[in-house]
Amino acid sequence: MFPIKVSAAIFDKIFVFGDDLSDTGNFFNATGQTSPSSPPFYQGRASNGPIWIDYLSQYLGLNPTPYTAVLGGASSSQGINYAYINATTGTANLFANLTSDPLLALGLQQEINAFTTTNPTADPNALYIVWAGAADYIPVTNSFQPYQTPTQTISNLSQAINSLVKVGAQNIFVPNLPDLGKNPYIQDTPLATPLNTLTSEHNADLAKLINIQNQSLDNGVKIQLFDVNSLFNAILSNPAKYGFTNVQDSCLDQLDPSKITLCGTQPNIQNQYLFWYSLEPTTAFHKIVADAAYQQLVPVHEPSTGLGLLALGAVSAIFVTRVKYTSRKAKMSQLSS
């Protein structure tokens, strides 16, 4: 049994800012619905099914609209999802060249600016999610030089959060990063150990930032840290407990994501894998993440199955990822040599 939708409204809208694992169609729409290709990817998501925001929104009884759809005239009465696949925490999007309109392939700062310029007074009863950072550190393209320390990334996240607070946001949810060195894209490369260290530094600095901000804020503002790394490591330590049989490989072919070579086409088999393609997790992992997020945001009296992670001290996770739908192993070899 998974969490049911709350009977009374906790939040009246959801606004989402981030990258791959929170994008419900913006990058897909910006690229003329060509990337990520559907199939094998699911309806423009970087996964084989719904992602955590889809699940969490359902639990909360809300349906935020992708920003690109809002630009086309769609209703935004329940919130807007501004997240873009490949977004850095700055103004860069790693693969803006894939869209004919660079303004529709945004970085986190541009996502935040798109919100604040049209919402000079934010809804205090809405939920604001800010999740980005991995694109700042993982070398995927020659167009962006990854950061070697978390200093600039944390500064960018601080600026994003402060911009939301300044216009009146009161409920801000900020996930940290999982261990970026422990995934099919990185684990067998020379970058694994440096990214292990960088992830640890990023998470420590992010926790300090949020603690400082919470101490300095008043007027009911609450910034919550959502612990990605704890859940990710818990799953790697005991995959079977969470329903996974493979946490080392990705389902899609690393060199050609149009090919499913490891886990076949059946969802029940696919979802025994933690990773769908490269850094991107399967919808099964997204579901676990949404359950954890829901319990942190709206504590329930009867825990759902699959939430044993809370007993391990984990509050949530998402494996923040970068998407380039060509050979990442080859690019990694070039950039790490």
Side-chain angles (χ1 to χ4, degrees):
M1 181 180 70
F2 292 100
I4 60 174
K5 184 176 72 175
V6 293
S7 57
I10 302 300
F11 306 106
D12 58 14
K13 297 182 181 68
I14 302 177
F15 295 96
V16 185
F17 309 91
D19 51 29
D20 304 42
L21 296 185
S22 300
D23 184 350
T24 55
N26 286 318
F27 194 80
F28 183 62
N29 291 336
T31 58
Q33 300 190 340
T34 61
S35 180
S37 57
S38 298
F41 294 88
Y42 173 80
Q43 297 184 10
R45 277 77 167 165
S47 188
N48 65 321
I51 61 175
W52 81 291
I53 287 295
D54 294 312
Y55 291 123
L56 180 61
S57 298
Q58 180 182 9
Y59 298 161
L60 295 174
L62 297 169
N63 184 27
T65 307
Y67 176 56
T68 47
V70 173
L71 292 177
S75 170
S76 60
S77 62
Q78 296 186 21
I80 301 175
N81 188 334
Y82 292 88
Y84 273 80
I85 287 172
N86 304 316
T88 67
T89 61
T91 59
N93 185 288
L94 298 185
F95 295 103
N97 61 303
L98 294 183
T99 170
S100 58
D101 186 351
L103 295 178
L104 295 183
L106 311 182
L108 178 65
Q109 300 305 318
Q110 293 158 308
E111 296 172 17
I112 296 289
N113 290 340
F115 170 78
T116 57
T117 54
T118 56
N119 295 272
T121 302
D123 182 350
N125 298 314
L127 174 64
Y128 300 84
I129 296 172
V130 179
W131 193 1
D136 291 26
Y137 304 130
I138 298 177
V140 177
T141 171
N142 290 320
S143 66
F144 181 82
Q145 184 63 40
Y147 299 138
Q148 302 301 308
T149 73
T151 302
Q152 186 61 55
T153 298
I154 297 301
S155 177
N156 290 342
L157 290 171
S158 177
Q159 180 177 336
I161 294 169
N162 288 334
S163 294
L164 293 174
V165 171
K166 186 178 295 185
V167 296
Q170 293 199 359
N171 306 293
I172 303 175
F173 202 57
V174 186
N176 65 8
L177 295 181
D179 192 330
L180 298 175
K182 297 177 181 177
N183 63 83
Y185 179 37
I186 302 295
Q187 62 187 354
D188 295 324
T189 76
L191 291 174
T193 298
L195 283 172
N196 296 151
T197 301
L198 191 52
T199 300
S200 179
E201 293 173 347
H202 170 98
N203 289 342
D205 289 352
L206 182 63
K208 291 177 183 177
L209 168 67
I210 292 176
N211 183 55
I212 291 172
Q213 288 180 317
N214 276 323
Q215 290 179 359
S216 64
L217 296 172
D218 51 19
N219 299 322
V221 177
K222 182 179 182 181
I223 304 172
Q224 294 191 55
L225 178 67
F226 194 32
D227 188 1
V228 174
N229 202 36
S230 293
L231 175 58
F232 182 66
N233 287 331
I235 290 176
L236 293 181
S237 297
N238 191 355
K241 180 175 182 177
Y242 300 90
F244 297 108
T245 60
N246 189 317
V247 295
Q248 292 83 34
D249 305 306
S250 62
C251 182
L252 297 187
D253 189 304
Q254 288 290 124
L255 299 180
D256 184 354
S258 66
K259 298 178 181 178
I260 300 178
T261 60
L262 291 174
C263 60
T265 59
Q266 296 301 313
N268 62 324
I269 302 298
Q270 293 175 357
N271 289 326
Q272 293 177 25
Y273 280 67
L274 175 60
F275 297 101
W276 172 237
Y277 168 65
S278 191
L279 300 171
E280 317 293 355
T282 60
T283 188
F285 184 60
H286 279 285
K287 181 78 167 177
I288 293 172
V289 168
D291 290 349
Y294 181 82
Q295 276 212 342
Q296 181 172 338
L297 288 164
V298 188
V300 293
H301 296 295
E302 296 183 4
S304 304
T305 57
L307 286 177
L309 59 102
L310 295 178
L312 296 172
V315 288
S316 174
I318 274 185
F319 195 42
V320 184
T321 62
R322 303 278 50 82
V323 174
K324 184 180 181 187
Y325 302 100
T326 59
S327 170
R328 287 179 159 183
K329 285 285 189 181
K331 177 61 70 178
M332 178 60 65
S333 297
Q334 295 171 7
L335 294 173
S336 62
S337 60

